Amino acid sequence: MNADRFNPNDDTIAKDASTIEAAAGGPIDIAIVLGSGLSNALAAHADFTSITYDRLLGIPVAPLAGHAGAALIGTMHGKRVVAFAGRVHMYQGFSAAQVTVNVRLAHAAGAKTLIVTNAAGALNSAYRAGDLMLIDDHINLMGANPLTGARLDNPFTDMMHAYDPGLRGIAKDVAGSLDDERVREGVYVGLLGPSYETPAEARYLRGIGADAVGMSTVLETILARTFGMKVFGVSLITNVVGAPETTHAEVMHEANLAGPRLAAIIDGVIEKI
Ligand code: HPA
């Protein structure tokens, strides 16, 4: 029977996990999800073997520019790493289960830590394009949850410290040692998209406590916490919501510019964990 790329069973995920582990030379320690425009960011820090998603059996493939699709496998500071360069989003029509297959695969390959990145719009008026925001909590407004209908003994995942305070502390130290003064800490709200926010929505999101808004990450974090993985999340602020208009080109441009700073922080965190 052919594997179903859009509804992979555990055998398919296990096969993909062995493909990744074989390329890594053993079980994976750390999985990284690289958000929009960030696919190339880590290249300066490791020699990666690239396995394009079409060579994995269970990863859904998406067409949007800037979302290259490959698992980058390598060693950083003696730790085996897989970086997913490209993810699919619910706004493309994928389900919560499909957008979190990367996390399922990372877990199957042994990863105990998930580093999740994204491009996000600022709601906090103190933020500027090019800032990095260490995610200290999230609000899930995607209208979906990867645990819905999942066959789990206990789907009631605790989300108290979803973004690991220890990893965030390490990241703050790393940012300090890199003299990167544009690193913030804040709350990420995940929306379905793909339209950007109206001014009224932006006011509402700020009012409920969000500092940055995007269309990913929260579902991956939920599944990673269900698996007991530690999560470190970073948003790259690519635009300020409503100032005056948000375009996909602007988001990609800022992501490319700030990518190396984000990669340096990730590299420093990996060194210290
Ligand atoms: N809104 C939602 N998602 C985003 C934005 C935004 O302004 N920028 C980058 N991703």
Side-chain angles (χ1 to χ4, degrees):
M1 193 184 79
N2 282 333
D4 182 351
R5 177 173 296 284
F6 296 101
N7 185 22
N9 62 21
D10 287 343
D11 288 345
T12 301
I13 295 293
K15 275 189 201 140
D16 285 347
S18 359
T19 304
I20 288 174
E21 288 177 67
I28 294 295
D29 298 301
I30 299 165
I32 307 171
V33 183
L34 297 169
S36 299
L38 297 169
S39 287
N40 300 323
L42 280 180
H45 296 276
D47 279 331
F48 288 110
T49 303
S50 172
I51 301 185
T52 50
Y53 287 160
D54 59 315
R55 289 167 55 208
L56 297 169
L57 305 171
I59 288 272
V61 183
L64 190 67
H67 296 251
L72 308 177
I73 294 143
T75 304
M76 294 174 74
H77 302 288
K79 287 135 199 160
R80 284 186 286 270
V81 168
V82 59
F84 294 99
R87 55 150 79 88
V88 295
H89 299 82
M90 283 193 69
Y91 63 70
Q92 293 165 305
F94 293 101
S95 67
Q98 288 169 327
V99 304
T100 53
V101 161
N102 53 0
V103 176
R104 214 172 128 202
L105 176 53
H107 173 65
K112 303 279 185 282
T113 301
L114 178 72
I115 299 178
V116 63
T117 70
N118 58 59
L123 299 162
N124 184 324
S125 59
Y127 289 10
R128 295 288 170 269
D131 287 356
L132 299 174
M133 184 186 86
L134 311 179
I135 303 175
D136 63 16
D137 205 348
H138 80 213
I139 300 173
N140 176 13
L141 291 187
M142 312 227 21
N145 190 302
L147 308 181
T148 308
R151 283 162 298 160
L152 297 166
D153 293 337
N154 177 12
F156 303 106
T157 299
D158 177 68
M159 294 295 287
M160 191 65 195
H161 295 294
Y163 297 87
D164 191 75
L167 293 178
R168 207 158 59 247
I170 293 171
K172 279 191 270 185
D173 291 345
V174 170
S177 63
L178 292 168
D179 285 327
D180 193 329
E181 288 166 2
R182 300 186 62 192
V183 176
R184 323 248 184 189
E185 269 184 280
V187 174
Y188 175 91
V189 58
L191 264 59
L192 177 62
S195 51
Y196 292 119
E197 296 67 39
T198 65
E201 287 165 344
R203 284 193 299 277
Y204 160 73
L205 296 170
R206 183 65 188 137
I208 62 170
D211 296 288
V213 53
M215 305 170 193
S216 66
T217 302
V218 295
L219 304 181
E220 290 153 315
T221 297
I222 291 168
L223 190 60
R225 292 305 297 146
T226 304
F227 290 141
M229 298 163 82
K230 284 188 180 179
V231 179
F232 170 56
V234 188
S235 292
L236 195 164
I237 303 299
T238 53
N239 58 287
V240 175
V241 175
E245 190 184 332
T246 306
T247 65
H248 185 62
E250 173 195 6
V251 168
M252 299 307 279
H253 175 72
E254 285 296 334
N256 280 313
L257 274 186
R261 284 170 41 231
L262 178 60
I265 290 181
I266 290 175
D267 182 75
V269 168
I270 290 175
E271 182 176 11
K272 293 192 168 61
I273 59 179

